Amino acid sequence: NNDLTIMTSKIQDHVKELHKKQEATLQNLGTTQNKLHETMSDSEDLKRAVDQALNSVQHLGESHQSSNRTINDLHAQLSQLGGTTMALKQGLKEQSQLLLPNITMDHSEARAATARHGSILASPMNATMGRGGTAPAPKPRGTPRSPAGLRSAVNTEWT
């Protein structure tokens, strides 16, 4: 009987020890479960932040493409404007040469105006320029109003 009591006492002590370990395990399991929930919540927050960052990157990419299109359009317009400006400059130069053939650098007023303002007629594109950046004086030619030499009225041409 005494052996039975000792054995029962040992079993009871062992069961008590198992209950203590079970309670510690349950407590640790509860702590682990709380940490897992916190980690899951943090990972959801991180996922939202990554999604926002990806949306921002996509928006920046679209803005960049739009900016590039605008820059390319402006470049094309600027090139066209440059061509138009050069054509206008050449047209003004030709018009000035036709309408103002008597103005040359030999006149003091023309030299003074060129010194003050510069000449828009002088350009590297004009290969027919004379010395001093001015166009050579045009040779007098006949027009319908002032025929050169003998011309018939039928054969009068614009020159």
Side-chain angles (χ1 to χ4, degrees):
N1 196 13
N2 199 4
D3 284 336
L4 191 57
T5 309
I6 291 175
M7 196 124 140
T8 306
S9 174
K10 282 183 181 180
I11 291 175
Q12 285 178 348
D13 287 342
H14 186 64
V15 169
K16 284 181 186 177
E17 188 66 32
L18 286 175
H19 279 290
K20 284 181 185 178
K21 287 182 180 180
Q22 183 184 15
E23 284 181 27
T25 302
L26 284 174
Q27 212 172 28
N28 287 339
L29 184 60
T31 303
T32 303
Q33 192 174 15
N34 288 339
K35 287 183 179 180
L36 182 60
H37 283 294
E38 288 176 12
T39 302
M40 286 175 54
S41 175
D42 289 347
S43 69
E44 288 174 7
D45 291 344
L46 183 59
K47 184 183 180 305
R48 279 192 291 273
V50 167
D51 286 343
Q52 287 176 348
L54 287 173
N55 286 338
S56 295
V57 167
Q58 183 179 3
H59 179 70
L60 286 173
E62 291 168 358
S63 295
H64 177 70
Q65 289 174 350
S66 175
S67 296
N68 274 343
R69 280 192 299 273
T70 302
I71 288 170
N72 288 337
D73 289 347
L74 288 173
H75 185 267
Q77 290 174 1
L78 186 59
S79 294
Q80 184 180 9
L81 181 62
T84 302
T85 302
M86 292 306 291
L88 179 63
K89 182 178 176 181
Q90 187 65 29
L92 286 172
K93 185 168 143 184
E94 289 173 10
Q95 183 181 26
S96 293
Q97 287 174 347
L98 290 173
L99 296 177
L100 306 172
N102 295 328
I103 296 180
T104 63
M105 288 307 288
D106 294 336
H107 293 85
S108 61
E109 289 178 20
R111 281 194 306 270
T114 302
R116 272 194 314 271
H117 304 292
S119 176
I120 64 166
L121 299 180
S123 73
M125 292 178 54
N126 186 7
T128 62
M129 287 289 195
R131 283 186 350 186
T134 61
K139 295 178 185 174
R141 293 183 275 179
T143 65
R145 283 186 239 146
S146 62
L150 298 172
R151 281 194 189 164
S152 67
V154 177
N155 195 16
T156 303
E157 299 178 20
W158 287 92
T159 56

